[in-house]
Amino acid sequence: DNPPARGLPWIDVLAQDLRFTFRTLMRERGFTIVAILILALGIGANVAVFSVVHTILLSPLPFPAAHQLVRIVEKNAKAGESSKTYSADATQDFQQQNRSFQSVSGYFAFTGPDNFSLMGRDQPEPVTGILVAEGFFQTLSVNPSAGRLFRPEEFRQHAQPVALLSYPFWQQRFGGDRSIVGRAIDLSHSSVTVVGVLPPTFDFGAVFSPGAKVDLFTPYIMDDFREDGNDLALIGRLKPEVTLAQAQSEADQIFPQLYFEHKHPNYGKNYTGRLTGLKEYVSGKLRRSLIVLWCAVGMILLIVCVNLSNLLLARAAARSKEFALRGALGAGRGRLVRQLLTESLVLSGAGAILGSGLGSAAIYYLAHQGSLALPMLSMVRVDGAVLAWTVCIAIGAAVLFGLMPGLRLSSGNLQETLKESGQGLSAGRGHDRMRSALVVTEVALAFMLLLGAGLLMRSFLRVLDVDLGFEPSRSAAISVAYDDDGKAAKRTAIWQEVVRQASLIPGVEAVGISDNLPMSRNRSWGIKAKDGNYDGGKFQGVFVYIVSPGYLKSMGMRLIEGRDINWADVSDNRDVVIINQTVARKLWPGQDPIGRIAIAGGRESHVIGVIADVRETSAEDDAGWQMYLPATTHFGPEGCYLVMRSKLPVTTLAGSVRRMLRQINPAQPATEFKPIQNLVDHATSPRRFFFLLVSIFAGLGLLVATLGIYGVISYSVTRETQQIGIRMALGATQERVLFGVIGKTEIGRAHV
């Protein structure tokens, strides 16, 4: 060896170290391959998780000056979207009165999937469109990639219908044809002009509705929604000189003056407003889970580093004579440590390259999982920050697993080293103690991961074990299109025919229709007892569903007392209502609610039934207040979902259901017949996502630790083969030798 003291430039010394490293690693291909694969698993897992954490938690939203964007919701939003949104009048009043925002806009919060039908092909194509208020894209500073944004006059009544296409929908449906801008499309039997295409960087669902696929946008015309109550989800952009606290102070003064209760007495409350940074609103709830996930994957890398330190210690013990001779020839301690660190860096670099490929594949898979309700998941990419992080952890890992063996080997006494590395002798006690300590560390880290995964599993199983109030496993739903000309009698006839024909399909046990489904979009109206017993007789927000007869049974809901809605209730416009146990207990504590009168949706309605509480927003939240009203002249639905209950698989029924709906309405789009279980899975997908990843990492950590322990024991036994042979020649039995090896392993494990 030529030490640096001889005056070689540092680059020549580095090149010499690299050449020697590559020759050494090529001679030991088995060790090299195993080390690189272990590193690739650890680094790849870190790359994938950091990409998710960086996108969801650390990076700003993909809008210019995103720190100025604010989400505005009610301070006590308990009853779904209706308590997080504002009316058209309130929105306009706040826009005019505030002085803290450059602009305030919003979007219609109650859009369901496949709410439009795109005509023009053999069969109508279901598409999802979002209604946005004036200035929505300007507030976000989103510019079109083709065409233009909406103009102010297009938000007025009787304006020519226009639409903006999302970039993926434009590519998929129109092949990226720029000539579509300015042309009309047939959208739900209405001629709509396409005025522009939004940029590929804008993903509405990723930010505002995780897991949703949005195809196009149309103007929200406020004059059409004056009497509809709360339906606008508000966002605003602060002025550069205004802080969030200052804007909140102003909002506290403005919102109580909007007097929502005076215009909409059915809803029974005045406005409040809580201002939250849009980034915090979108991803704040995931912060703790993401940090736990990040720590878990960091522990995987620690286990990998400890494992490789053990392997390198074993390898270094075998090379101790080589390094002793190099030291005798003049190589200093620093040079020996640098040589081992160079080998570690080469191994770590190769592991990082392979791990980046594995991480990128995992990221691509995660980004295309539309079933996961995680915000901005579709935006996860391997970018410059992720690559920089990969380089950092690769260098850090190389130092962690390479420094200890290097210091241990280079610090030994030359004569002692030559003794310990002599043929037929076992490794010295120093090596044994260090390897035992590393084994203990590996096992401890692996069991910490397993303990964390076990806690998450217990929490997740508790969520799955809760009583939802309905049985999703045998129910499925499909969105139904129909044209009733705005007449309740015609709608009743259509619904009755759909239910009748669906009931005739073989294998169907129950059929019903609702305008909303649990754990999907939701809205709330006001309800109170006519005698005003609860909370001074004020209206309380309650989830409302407009349903047909048979819906409760088709969803597997339990009727506790009273009766279900029947077709006479619908056709005769009877004012009846079914409530859940929570409403019955709160409005009439200790009394029988059947036959009593509730003011529901602004009308006096007789309570005809009480059902078990249904968890309508998620499996983790307690059940709220719910009521079910018949679809009459007074209570018009906001959608139409046909729900069917059957023991047959959804795929078996799907064809018959679609043919039946097309016979009733040839314009029925090819919407998907989906199991209700999908709604539950979507609602619990974030918890399932974190649980599965931590469980995988715990299993991976245990596997790596097991391999590391096996490697150390195997190496120790190999080094002591001659000693074991002598002991057996002196009378030691095979069982005694075996128990001696196991006993040494148990002693190491006991230190955990």
PDB file of all heavy atoms in Angstrom, residues 122-155:
ATOM      1  N   ASP A 122     -72.237   4.982 -28.785  1.00  0.00           N
ATOM      2  CA  ASP A 122     -73.350   4.043 -28.801  1.00  0.00           C
ATOM      3  C   ASP A 122     -74.084   4.023 -27.470  1.00  0.00           C
ATOM      4  O   ASP A 122     -75.296   3.835 -27.417  1.00  0.00           O
ATOM      5  CB  ASP A 122     -72.834   2.635 -29.130  1.00  0.00           C
ATOM      6  CG  ASP A 122     -72.268   2.549 -30.543  1.00  0.00           C
ATOM      7  OD1 ASP A 122     -72.642   3.404 -31.362  1.00  0.00           O
ATOM      8  OD2 ASP A 122     -71.453   1.648 -30.794  1.00  0.00           O
ATOM      9  N   GLN A 123     -73.332   4.213 -26.407  1.00  0.00           N
ATOM     10  CA  GLN A 123     -73.907   4.146 -25.078  1.00  0.00           C
ATOM     11  C   GLN A 123     -73.448   5.351 -24.281  1.00  0.00           C
ATOM     12  O   GLN A 123     -72.274   5.728 -24.342  1.00  0.00           O
ATOM     13  CB  GLN A 123     -73.435   2.861 -24.394  1.00  0.00           C
ATOM     14  CG  GLN A 123     -74.082   2.599 -23.044  1.00  0.00           C
ATOM     15  CD  GLN A 123     -73.685   1.236 -22.526  1.00  0.00           C
ATOM     16  OE1 GLN A 123     -73.784   0.238 -23.221  1.00  0.00           O
ATOM     17  NE2 GLN A 123     -73.226   1.199 -21.299  1.00  0.00           N
ATOM     18  N   PRO A 124     -74.340   6.011 -23.544  1.00  0.00           N
ATOM     19  CA  PRO A 124     -73.919   7.175 -22.746  1.00  0.00           C
ATOM     20  C   PRO A 124     -72.787   6.805 -21.790  1.00  0.00           C
ATOM     21  O   PRO A 124     -72.787   5.738 -21.181  1.00  0.00           O
ATOM     22  CB  PRO A 124     -75.187   7.564 -21.993  1.00  0.00           C
ATOM     23  CG  PRO A 124     -76.310   7.009 -22.815  1.00  0.00           C
ATOM     24  CD  PRO A 124     -75.783   5.751 -23.424  1.00  0.00           C
ATOM     25  N   GLU A 125     -71.832   7.714 -21.689  1.00  0.00           N
ATOM     26  CA  GLU A 125     -70.663   7.478 -20.854  1.00  0.00           C
ATOM     27  C   GLU A 125     -70.784   8.277 -19.559  1.00  0.00           C
ATOM     28  O   GLU A 125     -70.961   9.492 -19.592  1.00  0.00           O
ATOM     29  CB  GLU A 125     -69.406   7.906 -21.616  1.00  0.00           C
ATOM     30  CG  GLU A 125     -68.123   7.762 -20.838  1.00  0.00           C
ATOM     31  CD  GLU A 125     -66.918   8.243 -21.630  1.00  0.00           C
ATOM     32  OE1 GLU A 125     -67.074   8.536 -22.833  1.00  0.00           O
ATOM     33  OE2 GLU A 125     -65.830   8.337 -21.041  1.00  0.00           O
ATOM     34  N   PRO A 126     -70.696   7.617 -18.407  1.00  0.00           N
ATOM     35  CA  PRO A 126     -70.792   8.363 -17.144  1.00  0.00           C
ATOM     36  C   PRO A 126     -69.529   9.181 -16.900  1.00  0.00           C
ATOM     37  O   PRO A 126     -68.406   8.680 -17.052  1.00  0.00           O
ATOM     38  CB  PRO A 126     -70.942   7.256 -16.096  1.00  0.00           C
ATOM     39  CG  PRO A 126     -70.296   6.059 -16.715  1.00  0.00           C
ATOM     40  CD  PRO A 126     -70.517   6.167 -18.197  1.00  0.00           C
ATOM     41  N   VAL A 127     -69.705  10.435 -16.535  1.00  0.00           N
ATOM     42  CA  VAL A 127     -68.580  11.296 -16.197  1.00  0.00           C
ATOM     43  C   VAL A 127     -68.916  12.054 -14.917  1.00  0.00           C
ATOM     44  O   VAL A 127     -70.087  12.237 -14.570  1.00  0.00           O
ATOM     45  CB  VAL A 127     -68.240  12.301 -17.326  1.00  0.00           C
ATOM     46  CG1 VAL A 127     -67.769  11.583 -18.571  1.00  0.00           C
ATOM     47  CG2 VAL A 127     -69.439  13.187 -17.645  1.00  0.00           C
ATOM     48  N   THR A 128     -67.885  12.488 -14.226  1.00  0.00           N
ATOM     49  CA  THR A 128     -68.059  13.231 -12.978  1.00  0.00           C
ATOM     50  C   THR A 128     -67.659  14.684 -13.200  1.00  0.00           C
ATOM     51  O   THR A 128     -66.547  14.961 -13.647  1.00  0.00           O
ATOM     52  CB  THR A 128     -67.201  12.624 -11.856  1.00  0.00           C
ATOM     53  OG1 THR A 128     -67.581  11.261 -11.660  1.00  0.00           O
ATOM     54  CG2 THR A 128     -67.388  13.403 -10.560  1.00  0.00           C
ATOM     55  N   GLY A 129     -68.594  15.584 -12.913  1.00  0.00           N
ATOM     56  CA  GLY A 129     -68.341  17.004 -13.078  1.00  0.00           C
ATOM     57  C   GLY A 129     -68.529  17.757 -11.772  1.00  0.00           C
ATOM     58  O   GLY A 129     -69.438  17.465 -10.996  1.00  0.00           O
ATOM     59  N   ILE A 130     -67.665  18.726 -11.514  1.00  0.00           N
ATOM     60  CA  ILE A 130     -67.726  19.547 -10.297  1.00  0.00           C
ATOM     61  C   ILE A 130     -68.172  20.954 -10.677  1.00  0.00           C
ATOM     62  O   ILE A 130     -67.651  21.548 -11.627  1.00  0.00           O
ATOM     63  CB  ILE A 130     -66.350  19.612  -9.609  1.00  0.00           C
ATOM     64  CG1 ILE A 130     -65.889  18.210  -9.212  1.00  0.00           C
ATOM     65  CG2 ILE A 130     -66.395  20.532  -8.390  1.00  0.00           C
ATOM     66  CD1 ILE A 130     -66.709  17.566  -8.135  1.00  0.00           C
ATOM     67  N   LEU A 131     -69.136  21.487  -9.933  1.00  0.00           N
ATOM     68  CA  LEU A 131     -69.570  22.868 -10.124  1.00  0.00           C
ATOM     69  C   LEU A 131     -68.677  23.775  -9.284  1.00  0.00           C
ATOM     70  O   LEU A 131     -68.537  23.572  -8.072  1.00  0.00           O
ATOM     71  CB  LEU A 131     -71.025  23.045  -9.686  1.00  0.00           C
ATOM     72  CG  LEU A 131     -72.124  22.618 -10.679  1.00  0.00           C
ATOM     73  CD1 LEU A 131     -72.165  21.103 -10.826  1.00  0.00           C
ATOM     74  CD2 LEU A 131     -73.485  23.133 -10.212  1.00  0.00           C
ATOM     75  N   VAL A 132     -68.067  24.759  -9.919  1.00  0.00           N
ATOM     76  CA  VAL A 132     -67.161  25.668  -9.212  1.00  0.00           C
ATOM     77  C   VAL A 132     -67.710  27.087  -9.295  1.00  0.00           C
ATOM     78  O   VAL A 132     -68.292  27.497 -10.307  1.00  0.00           O
ATOM     79  CB  VAL A 132     -65.735  25.603  -9.777  1.00  0.00           C
ATOM     80  CG1 VAL A 132     -65.133  24.225  -9.559  1.00  0.00           C
ATOM     81  CG2 VAL A 132     -65.698  25.967 -11.252  1.00  0.00           C
ATOM     82  N   ALA A 133     -67.533  27.842  -8.208  1.00  0.00           N
ATOM     83  CA  ALA A 133     -68.012  29.223  -8.158  1.00  0.00           C
ATOM     84  C   ALA A 133     -67.072  30.134  -8.937  1.00  0.00           C
ATOM     85  O   ALA A 133     -65.934  29.771  -9.272  1.00  0.00           O
ATOM     86  CB  ALA A 133     -68.121  29.679  -6.704  1.00  0.00           C
ATOM     87  N   GLU A 134     -67.552  31.311  -9.196  1.00  0.00           N
ATOM     88  CA  GLU A 134     -66.770  32.295  -9.947  1.00  0.00           C
ATOM     89  C   GLU A 134     -65.453  32.586  -9.213  1.00  0.00           C
ATOM     90  O   GLU A 134     -65.425  32.794  -8.007  1.00  0.00           O
ATOM     91  CB  GLU A 134     -67.570  33.582 -10.108  1.00  0.00           C
ATOM     92  CG  GLU A 134     -66.878  34.638 -10.945  1.00  0.00           C
ATOM     93  CD  GLU A 134     -67.746  35.869 -11.151  1.00  0.00           C
ATOM     94  OE1 GLU A 134     -68.939  35.827 -10.782  1.00  0.00           O
ATOM     95  OE2 GLU A 134     -67.225  36.875 -11.675  1.00  0.00           O
ATOM     96  N   GLY A 135     -64.361  32.570  -9.963  1.00  0.00           N
ATOM     97  CA  GLY A 135     -63.054  32.872  -9.395  1.00  0.00           C
ATOM     98  C   GLY A 135     -62.358  31.705  -8.731  1.00  0.00           C
ATOM     99  O   GLY A 135     -61.299  31.886  -8.118  1.00  0.00           O
ATOM    100  N   PHE A 136     -62.896  30.495  -8.861  1.00  0.00           N
ATOM    101  CA  PHE A 136     -62.293  29.348  -8.181  1.00  0.00           C
ATOM    102  C   PHE A 136     -60.872  29.093  -8.665  1.00  0.00           C
ATOM    103  O   PHE A 136     -59.930  28.994  -7.868  1.00  0.00           O
ATOM    104  CB  PHE A 136     -63.163  28.105  -8.400  1.00  0.00           C
ATOM    105  CG  PHE A 136     -62.610  26.848  -7.788  1.00  0.00           C
ATOM    106  CD1 PHE A 136     -62.704  26.632  -6.423  1.00  0.00           C
ATOM    107  CD2 PHE A 136     -61.997  25.883  -8.570  1.00  0.00           C
ATOM    108  CE1 PHE A 136     -62.192  25.474  -5.849  1.00  0.00           C
ATOM    109  CE2 PHE A 136     -61.483  24.728  -8.008  1.00  0.00           C
ATOM    110  CZ  PHE A 136     -61.584  24.521  -6.649  1.00  0.00           C
ATOM    111  N   PHE A 137     -60.692  28.987  -9.961  1.00  0.00           N
ATOM    112  CA  PHE A 137     -59.361  28.699 -10.496  1.00  0.00           C
ATOM    113  C   PHE A 137     -58.427  29.893 -10.335  1.00  0.00           C
ATOM    114  O   PHE A 137     -57.214  29.718 -10.132  1.00  0.00           O
ATOM    115  CB  PHE A 137     -59.472  28.277 -11.967  1.00  0.00           C
ATOM    116  CG  PHE A 137     -60.246  27.007 -12.166  1.00  0.00           C
ATOM    117  CD1 PHE A 137     -61.515  27.024 -12.748  1.00  0.00           C
ATOM    118  CD2 PHE A 137     -59.738  25.793 -11.752  1.00  0.00           C
ATOM    119  CE1 PHE A 137     -62.233  25.861 -12.920  1.00  0.00           C
ATOM    120  CE2 PHE A 137     -60.455  24.617 -11.914  1.00  0.00           C
ATOM    121  CZ  PHE A 137     -61.710  24.647 -12.502  1.00  0.00           C
ATOM    122  N   GLN A 138     -58.965  31.104 -10.400  1.00  0.00           N
ATOM    123  CA  GLN A 138     -58.135  32.278 -10.180  1.00  0.00           C
ATOM    124  C   GLN A 138     -57.646  32.323  -8.733  1.00  0.00           C
ATOM    125  O   GLN A 138     -56.505  32.726  -8.475  1.00  0.00           O
ATOM    126  CB  GLN A 138     -58.915  33.550 -10.521  1.00  0.00           C
ATOM    127  CG  GLN A 138     -59.182  33.746 -12.009  1.00  0.00           C
ATOM    128  CD  GLN A 138     -60.414  33.000 -12.510  1.00  0.00           C
ATOM    129  OE1 GLN A 138     -60.959  32.148 -11.797  1.00  0.00           O
ATOM    130  NE2 GLN A 138     -60.860  33.312 -13.717  1.00  0.00           N
ATOM    131  N   THR A 139     -58.491  31.921  -7.789  1.00  0.00           N
ATOM    132  CA  THR A 139     -58.068  31.888  -6.388  1.00  0.00           C
ATOM    133  C   THR A 139     -56.912  30.915  -6.189  1.00  0.00           C
ATOM    134  O   THR A 139     -55.967  31.188  -5.438  1.00  0.00           O
ATOM    135  CB  THR A 139     -59.256  31.488  -5.487  1.00  0.00           C
ATOM    136  OG1 THR A 139     -60.302  32.459  -5.632  1.00  0.00           O
ATOM    137  CG2 THR A 139     -58.837  31.402  -4.026  1.00  0.00           C
ATOM    138  N   LEU A 140     -56.974  29.779  -6.871  1.00  0.00           N
ATOM    139  CA  LEU A 140     -55.897  28.787  -6.777  1.00  0.00           C
ATOM    140  C   LEU A 140     -54.709  29.129  -7.666  1.00  0.00           C
ATOM    141  O   LEU A 140     -53.667  28.463  -7.587  1.00  0.00           O
ATOM    142  CB  LEU A 140     -56.427  27.399  -7.160  1.00  0.00           C
ATOM    143  CG  LEU A 140     -57.511  26.803  -6.263  1.00  0.00           C
ATOM    144  CD1 LEU A 140     -58.002  25.484  -6.839  1.00  0.00           C
ATOM    145  CD2 LEU A 140     -57.001  26.600  -4.844  1.00  0.00           C
ATOM    146  N   SER A 141     -54.849  30.143  -8.523  1.00  0.00           N
ATOM    147  CA  SER A 141     -53.808  30.524  -9.503  1.00  0.00           C
ATOM    148  C   SER A 141     -53.525  29.377 -10.470  1.00  0.00           C
ATOM    149  O   SER A 141     -52.374  29.047 -10.769  1.00  0.00           O
ATOM    150  CB  SER A 141     -52.519  30.957  -8.797  1.00  0.00           C
ATOM    151  OG  SER A 141     -52.723  32.140  -8.063  1.00  0.00           O
ATOM    152  N   VAL A 142     -54.593  28.758 -10.947  1.00  0.00           N
ATOM    153  CA  VAL A 142     -54.487  27.687 -11.939  1.00  0.00           C
ATOM    154  C   VAL A 142     -54.802  28.264 -13.307  1.00  0.00           C
ATOM    155  O   VAL A 142     -55.848  28.892 -13.501  1.00  0.00           O
ATOM    156  CB  VAL A 142     -55.465  26.537 -11.608  1.00  0.00           C
ATOM    157  CG1 VAL A 142     -55.486  25.508 -12.734  1.00  0.00           C
ATOM    158  CG2 VAL A 142     -55.077  25.878 -10.292  1.00  0.00           C
ATOM    159  N   ASN A 143     -53.903  28.069 -14.250  1.00  0.00           N
ATOM    160  CA  ASN A 143     -54.097  28.538 -15.622  1.00  0.00           C
ATOM    161  C   ASN A 143     -54.304  27.354 -16.554  1.00  0.00           C
ATOM    162  O   ASN A 143     -53.710  26.286 -16.349  1.00  0.00           O
ATOM    163  CB  ASN A 143     -52.884  29.354 -16.087  1.00  0.00           C
ATOM    164  CG  ASN A 143     -52.711  30.627 -15.279  1.00  0.00           C
ATOM    165  OD1 ASN A 143     -53.661  31.376 -15.082  1.00  0.00           O
ATOM    166  ND2 ASN A 143     -51.500  30.861 -14.794  1.00  0.00           N
ATOM    167  N   PRO A 144     -55.141  27.498 -17.566  1.00  0.00           N
ATOM    168  CA  PRO A 144     -55.420  26.369 -18.468  1.00  0.00           C
ATOM    169  C   PRO A 144     -54.213  26.043 -19.344  1.00  0.00           C
ATOM    170  O   PRO A 144     -53.391  26.907 -19.651  1.00  0.00           O
ATOM    171  CB  PRO A 144     -56.595  26.880 -19.298  1.00  0.00           C
ATOM    172  CG  PRO A 144     -56.427  28.363 -19.308  1.00  0.00           C
ATOM    173  CD  PRO A 144     -55.859  28.727 -17.966  1.00  0.00           C
ATOM    174  N   SER A 145     -54.126  24.785 -19.720  1.00  0.00           N
ATOM    175  CA  SER A 145     -53.083  24.392 -20.673  1.00  0.00           C
ATOM    176  C   SER A 145     -53.556  24.581 -22.104  1.00  0.00           C
ATOM    177  O   SER A 145     -52.748  24.613 -23.034  1.00  0.00           O
ATOM    178  CB  SER A 145     -52.687  22.930 -20.454  1.00  0.00           C
ATOM    179  OG  SER A 145     -53.792  22.066 -20.676  1.00  0.00           O
ATOM    180  N   ALA A 146     -54.851  24.718 -22.286  1.00  0.00           N
ATOM    181  CA  ALA A 146     -55.427  25.013 -23.607  1.00  0.00           C
ATOM    182  C   ALA A 146     -56.725  25.775 -23.391  1.00  0.00           C
ATOM    183  O   ALA A 146     -57.460  25.527 -22.430  1.00  0.00           O
ATOM    184  CB  ALA A 146     -55.690  23.721 -24.393  1.00  0.00           C
ATOM    185  N   GLY A 147     -57.000  26.716 -24.259  1.00  0.00           N
ATOM    186  CA  GLY A 147     -58.230  27.484 -24.144  1.00  0.00           C
ATOM    187  C   GLY A 147     -58.153  28.523 -23.040  1.00  0.00           C
ATOM    188  O   GLY A 147     -57.111  29.128 -22.780  1.00  0.00           O
ATOM    189  N   ARG A 148     -59.254  28.696 -22.318  1.00  0.00           N
ATOM    190  CA  ARG A 148     -59.357  29.735 -21.289  1.00  0.00           C
ATOM    191  C   ARG A 148     -60.153  29.225 -20.098  1.00  0.00           C
ATOM    192  O   ARG A 148     -60.720  28.127 -20.128  1.00  0.00           O
ATOM    193  CB  ARG A 148     -60.067  30.968 -21.873  1.00  0.00           C
ATOM    194  CG  ARG A 148     -61.509  30.677 -22.357  1.00  0.00           C
ATOM    195  CD  ARG A 148     -62.244  31.929 -22.755  1.00  0.00           C
ATOM    196  NE  ARG A 148     -63.572  31.663 -23.307  1.00  0.00           N
ATOM    197  CZ  ARG A 148     -64.669  31.458 -22.579  1.00  0.00           C
ATOM    198  NH1 ARG A 148     -64.602  31.484 -21.259  1.00  0.00           N
ATOM    199  NH2 ARG A 148     -65.835  31.234 -23.172  1.00  0.00           N
ATOM    200  N   LEU A 149     -60.187  30.053 -19.046  1.00  0.00           N
ATOM    201  CA  LEU A 149     -61.013  29.763 -17.882  1.00  0.00           C
ATOM    202  C   LEU A 149     -62.410  30.344 -18.089  1.00  0.00           C
ATOM    203  O   LEU A 149     -62.688  30.993 -19.099  1.00  0.00           O
ATOM    204  CB  LEU A 149     -60.378  30.348 -16.624  1.00  0.00           C
ATOM    205  CG  LEU A 149     -58.994  29.814 -16.240  1.00  0.00           C
ATOM    206  CD1 LEU A 149     -58.467  30.542 -15.012  1.00  0.00           C
ATOM    207  CD2 LEU A 149     -59.030  28.311 -15.980  1.00  0.00           C
ATOM    208  N   PHE A 150     -63.290  30.117 -17.120  1.00  0.00           N
ATOM    209  CA  PHE A 150     -64.647  30.656 -17.214  1.00  0.00           C
ATOM    210  C   PHE A 150     -64.616  32.182 -17.108  1.00  0.00           C
ATOM    211  O   PHE A 150     -63.802  32.760 -16.376  1.00  0.00           O
ATOM    212  CB  PHE A 150     -65.526  30.092 -16.095  1.00  0.00           C
ATOM    213  CG  PHE A 150     -65.720  28.605 -16.158  1.00  0.00           C
ATOM    214  CD1 PHE A 150     -65.585  27.824 -15.009  1.00  0.00           C
ATOM    215  CD2 PHE A 150     -66.051  27.980 -17.349  1.00  0.00           C
ATOM    216  CE1 PHE A 150     -65.767  26.459 -15.055  1.00  0.00           C
ATOM    217  CE2 PHE A 150     -66.234  26.610 -17.405  1.00  0.00           C
ATOM    218  CZ  PHE A 150     -66.089  25.847 -16.263  1.00  0.00           C
ATOM    219  N   ARG A 151     -65.541  32.810 -17.814  1.00  0.00           N
ATOM    220  CA  ARG A 151     -65.702  34.263 -17.751  1.00  0.00           C
ATOM    221  C   ARG A 151     -66.819  34.615 -16.768  1.00  0.00           C
ATOM    222  O   ARG A 151     -67.711  33.799 -16.518  1.00  0.00           O
ATOM    223  CB  ARG A 151     -66.034  34.809 -19.134  1.00  0.00           C
ATOM    224  CG  ARG A 151     -64.876  34.680 -20.131  1.00  0.00           C
ATOM    225  CD  ARG A 151     -65.326  35.027 -21.526  1.00  0.00           C
ATOM    226  NE  ARG A 151     -64.209  34.977 -22.477  1.00  0.00           N
ATOM    227  CZ  ARG A 151     -64.336  34.895 -23.794  1.00  0.00           C
ATOM    228  NH1 ARG A 151     -65.569  34.866 -24.328  1.00  0.00           N
ATOM    229  NH2 ARG A 151     -63.281  34.855 -24.567  1.00  0.00           N
ATOM    230  N   PRO A 152     -66.811  35.847 -16.226  1.00  0.00           N
ATOM    231  CA  PRO A 152     -67.837  36.224 -15.242  1.00  0.00           C
ATOM    232  C   PRO A 152     -69.255  36.065 -15.756  1.00  0.00           C
ATOM    233  O   PRO A 152     -70.149  35.638 -15.001  1.00  0.00           O
ATOM    234  CB  PRO A 152     -67.504  37.693 -14.944  1.00  0.00           C
ATOM    235  CG  PRO A 152     -66.044  37.806 -15.215  1.00  0.00           C
ATOM    236  CD  PRO A 152     -65.774  36.879 -16.363  1.00  0.00           C
ATOM    237  N   GLU A 153     -69.489  36.381 -17.029  1.00  0.00           N
ATOM    238  CA  GLU A 153     -70.855  36.306 -17.543  1.00  0.00           C
ATOM    239  C   GLU A 153     -71.363  34.866 -17.646  1.00  0.00           C
ATOM    240  O   GLU A 153     -72.577  34.633 -17.770  1.00  0.00           O
ATOM    241  CB  GLU A 153     -70.956  36.978 -18.911  1.00  0.00           C
ATOM    242  CG  GLU A 153     -70.057  36.374 -19.994  1.00  0.00           C
ATOM    243  CD  GLU A 153     -68.696  37.046 -20.070  1.00  0.00           C
ATOM    244  OE1 GLU A 153     -68.304  37.700 -19.064  1.00  0.00           O
ATOM    245  OE2 GLU A 153     -68.033  36.923 -21.126  1.00  0.00           O
ATOM    246  N   GLU A 154     -70.457  33.892 -17.589  1.00  0.00           N
ATOM    247  CA  GLU A 154     -70.867  32.492 -17.671  1.00  0.00           C
ATOM    248  C   GLU A 154     -71.367  31.956 -16.332  1.00  0.00           C
ATOM    249  O   GLU A 154     -71.782  30.790 -16.250  1.00  0.00           O
ATOM    250  CB  GLU A 154     -69.705  31.652 -18.201  1.00  0.00           C
ATOM    251  CG  GLU A 154     -69.427  31.953 -19.669  1.00  0.00           C
ATOM    252  CD  GLU A 154     -68.098  31.405 -20.172  1.00  0.00           C
ATOM    253  OE1 GLU A 154     -67.227  31.094 -19.330  1.00  0.00           O
ATOM    254  OE2 GLU A 154     -67.926  31.301 -21.401  1.00  0.00           O
ATOM    255  N   PHE A 155     -71.326  32.793 -15.293  1.00  0.00           N
ATOM    256  CA  PHE A 155     -71.871  32.430 -13.991  1.00  0.00           C
ATOM    257  C   PHE A 155     -73.227  33.086 -13.756  1.00  0.00           C
ATOM    258  O   PHE A 155     -73.701  33.135 -12.627  1.00  0.00           O
ATOM    259  CB  PHE A 155     -70.889  32.845 -12.888  1.00  0.00           C
ATOM    260  CG  PHE A 155     -69.622  32.034 -12.875  1.00  0.00           C
ATOM    261  CD1 PHE A 155     -68.526  32.426 -13.618  1.00  0.00           C
ATOM    262  CD2 PHE A 155     -69.540  30.864 -12.139  1.00  0.00           C
ATOM    263  CE1 PHE A 155     -67.359  31.684 -13.607  1.00  0.00           C
ATOM    264  CE2 PHE A 155     -68.376  30.113 -12.128  1.00  0.00           C
ATOM    265  CZ  PHE A 155     -67.277  30.513 -12.871  1.00  0.00           C
TER     266      PHE A 155
END
